[in-house]
Amino acid sequence: MFIQVDSLSKTFISHHQKTKVLNDVSLAIPQGSIYGIIGRSGAGKSTLLRCLNGLERADTGRVFFQKKDLMSLSQKDLRQARHDMGMIFQNFQLLKRRTALENVLLPLEFFKHSQQESLSKARKCLNIVGLSEKEQAYPSQLSGGQAQRVAIARALALETKVLLCDEPTSALDPKTSKDILSLLMTLNQTLGLTIVFITHDLSIVRDICTHVAVMEKGEILESGNVESVFSSPKTALTRDYVQSLFNSRVPQIIKERLSENASSKTSEVAFRLVFSGRNSQKPVISDLAQELGISVSIAGGALDHLGHSTYGTLVITVPHEKETCSQVKSYLEARQINVELLGYLA
Ligand SMILES: Nc1ncnc2c1ncn2[C@@H]1O[C@H](COP(=O)(O)OP(=O)(O)OP(=O)(O)O)[C@@H](O)[C@H]1O
Ligand SMILES: [Mg+2]
C-alpha cells in the first residue's frame, strides 16, 4: 500500500483536559487514488492529515509511506519523506510579502536546490497550474482561485507524489471551486499524483474521489471505494450524508394536496422511493406499471449515478384502488427500494 495508517491514536491535553482526537485509526491509501475524508467538524480530519506527513506525531500507531515507517525515521529521513508530500489549505497560506513565483520557490529554497534549478522548476509548476502570467503578482493581487493555484504550484514544486488537501475549495465560489477540482483531477491523471482530500461536501467526493473514509469522533466509521461505501452505508452518519447528497424533497404541488388519511374523495396515493445504489440498470418503474397493471405517474425527485449505481429519490403517484398500496410497496421493497407512503391525494 502507498500510504498505510495502522491503529493511530492521539490525545491532546490542554488546560488539564484530555481530548482523544484520533482513536485507533487505520487507513489504506492506494497509489494514484483520490482519497476523500469526510466527517463533521471536530471529527479529527485535519489532525489525521497532519499525521500523514509527520507535521503531527500520534501517540501510538504507525504511518507507512512507500513502506517506510514515518514514526521511526530520523529527522533527516523524515524531511526527505516530506519532500514527497505537498499540502494545501482552505486559506491558501501564501506569504503576503512574496510574489507568486517567490512563494513557489519557498520549498525549493528550504530543501536547498540550486538557484537556477529552483527557478526553472518554480516556473514550470506555475505553468502547470496556468498562472505563468501572474508570477510577479503578490497574494493580495490574486483572486481566491489564483491564490489556490499558486499554493498548488508550491505544493508541487518538489518531486511531490502525494498532495494533502485540507478543504482547499471551501473558501471559493462554486465555479472557481469546480476549476480547482478539475485541475486536481488533471494532476492526478497526468502526473499520477495521489491526492488525499478533506471535505464537508459530499458532491466533491462523488465527483472526483475514488475512495472515501467517513470519520466521526476520532474514528473511521467506514472506508473503501466510493461506490461500495455509498451503495451500502453501514452507519447512520454515512446514510445521512448519502441522503443529503441526493435530494429527497417532495414537490410543493404534491405537498399541498396531500392528506394523511384516505377519504371517499381520494383518487391517488403518493409514495417516495429511495434508491440507494443497487437495482441500477433495471427499468423498475415501467416494470412496476406493467406487472401490476397500474398507471404510475412520476411527480418529482432526482436520480443521480455513482459508477453503475443509481441514487436518489422519486415521488410517484398511483391510483387509489383496493390493494394497490400494499402491492406497490411489496413489489418495490423486493427490489431493495426503500418505499415511504407519503399520503393520499384527492
Ligand atoms: N493543537 C491542539 N490542541 C488541542 N486540541 C486540538 C488541537 N488540534 C486539534 N484539537 C482538537 O482536536 C479535535 C479535532 O480537530 P481537527 O482539527 O482534527 O478536526 P476536523 O475534523 O479537521 O474539524 P473541521 O472540520 O472543523 O476542520 C477538535 O476537538 C480540536 O479542538
Ligand atoms: Mg479541519
Side-chain angles (χ1 to χ4, degrees):
M1 196 47 64
F2 197 51
I3 302 175
Q4 176 86 39
V5 176
D6 282 343
S7 300
L8 223 52
S9 292
K10 168 106 192 156
T11 299
F12 282 116
I13 303 169
S14 57
H15 305 105
H16 306 291
Q17 212 179 338
K18 285 186 178 176
T19 322
K20 190 148 201 178
V21 180
L22 297 178
N23 187 10
D24 198 19
V25 167
S26 296
L27 206 60
I29 302 176
Q31 183 160 20
S33 60
I34 304 186
Y35 208 114
I37 300 177
I38 56 170
R40 301 205 172 102
S41 194
K45 305 178 297 296
S46 299
T47 308
L48 173 60
L49 202 69
R50 288 201 301 273
C51 286
L52 295 186
N53 66 356
L55 274 181
E56 194 90 69
R57 256 184 191 266
D59 303 328
T60 55
R62 298 257 169 272
V63 178
F64 295 91
F65 175 49
Q66 295 183 303
K67 304 216 162 70
K68 281 196 206 113
D69 179 355
L70 290 189
M71 319 279 276
S72 65
L73 292 182
S74 64
Q75 280 302 321
K76 182 168 162 276
D77 290 340
L78 188 60
R79 259 168 67 116
Q80 183 54 43
R82 281 209 195 124
H83 197 279
D84 296 337
M85 296 194 187
M87 191 158 177
I88 57 172
F89 307 87
Q90 179 174 352
N91 56 0
F92 325 129
Q93 299 205 358
L94 298 178
L95 292 188
K96 290 189 180 66
R97 289 173 190 279
R98 284 185 155 231
T99 62
L101 182 65
E102 287 163 353
N103 265 284
V104 182
L105 281 167
L106 271 173
L108 294 154
E109 289 168 0
F110 183 76
F111 280 99
K112 303 203 170 17
H113 289 241
S114 78
Q115 218 172 1
Q116 193 60 34
E117 188 195 18
S118 297
L119 202 57
S120 97
K121 278 195 171 161
R123 289 212 160 104
K124 191 172 141 218
C125 291
L126 275 177
N127 186 39
I128 290 175
V129 301
L131 265 194
S132 293
E133 79 278 17
K134 293 282 183 192
E135 65 168 57
Q136 293 309 325
Y138 285 89
S140 62
Q141 299 166 322
L142 299 171
S143 69
Q146 290 168 341
Q148 194 59 291
R149 281 170 193 273
V150 174
I152 293 172
R154 182 180 60 187
L156 292 178
L158 303 167
E159 272 98 65
T160 312
K161 298 191 178 98
V162 183
L163 185 61
L164 305 175
C165 308
D166 197 344
E167 302 189 49
T169 56
S170 39
L172 304 174
D173 67 78
K175 163 80 174 68
T176 311
S177 165
K178 264 212 162 88
D179 292 345
I180 294 292
L181 294 174
S182 81
L183 171 64
L184 292 177
M185 290 226 295
T186 308
L187 296 174
N188 169 256
Q189 277 149 25
T190 56
L191 308 177
L193 190 68
T194 303
I195 297 177
V196 186
F197 197 107
I198 294 181
T199 180
H200 287 277
D201 185 346
L202 213 62
S203 66
I204 293 181
V205 176
R206 176 194 60 196
D207 293 343
I208 74 163
C209 292
T210 54
H211 294 72
V212 65
V214 183
M215 275 191 91
E216 187 172 53
K217 296 190 184 131
E219 295 184 10
I220 304 256
L221 298 182
E222 41 197 315
S223 64
N225 123 3
V226 171
E227 206 178 320
S228 60
V229 171
F230 282 7
S231 60
S232 49
K234 292 184 185 63
T235 58
L237 180 64
T238 313
R239 264 195 298 280
D240 280 358
Y241 271 128
V242 173
Q243 287 215 341
S244 69
L245 182 57
F246 303 107
N247 140 29
S248 64
R249 200 174 60 86
V250 178
Q252 191 58 26
I253 192 161
I254 296 287
K255 253 191 200 160
E256 284 165 3
R257 293 172 57 208
L258 270 183
S259 57
E260 259 181 57
N261 300 304
S263 71
S264 56
K265 289 190 189 136
T266 299
S267 60
E268 287 171 292
V269 193
F271 294 99
R272 173 162 43 205
L273 321 183
V274 180
F275 294 74
S276 54
R278 279 150 290 195
N279 55 56
S280 53
Q281 306 304 323
K282 300 185 199 110
V284 183
I285 302 298
S286 66
D287 285 357
L288 166 76
Q290 267 181 18
E291 287 181 34
L292 298 187
I294 55 172
S295 65
V296 182
S297 306
I298 295 175
L303 292 182
D304 207 333
H305 297 274
L306 220 161
H308 293 292
S309 308
T310 307
Y311 292 84
T313 59
L314 275 189
V315 175
I316 62 165
T317 64
V318 298
H320 181 238
E321 283 157 14
K322 213 170 150 226
E323 314 221 319
T324 322
C325 252
S326 55
Q327 281 179 341
V328 168
K329 226 170 168 321
S330 48
Y331 183 93
L332 293 168
E333 279 168 357
R335 283 150 188 82
Q336 279 96 44
I337 296 167
N338 188 316
V339 186
E340 180 193 352
L341 175 68
L342 288 174
Y344 302 89
L345 303 168

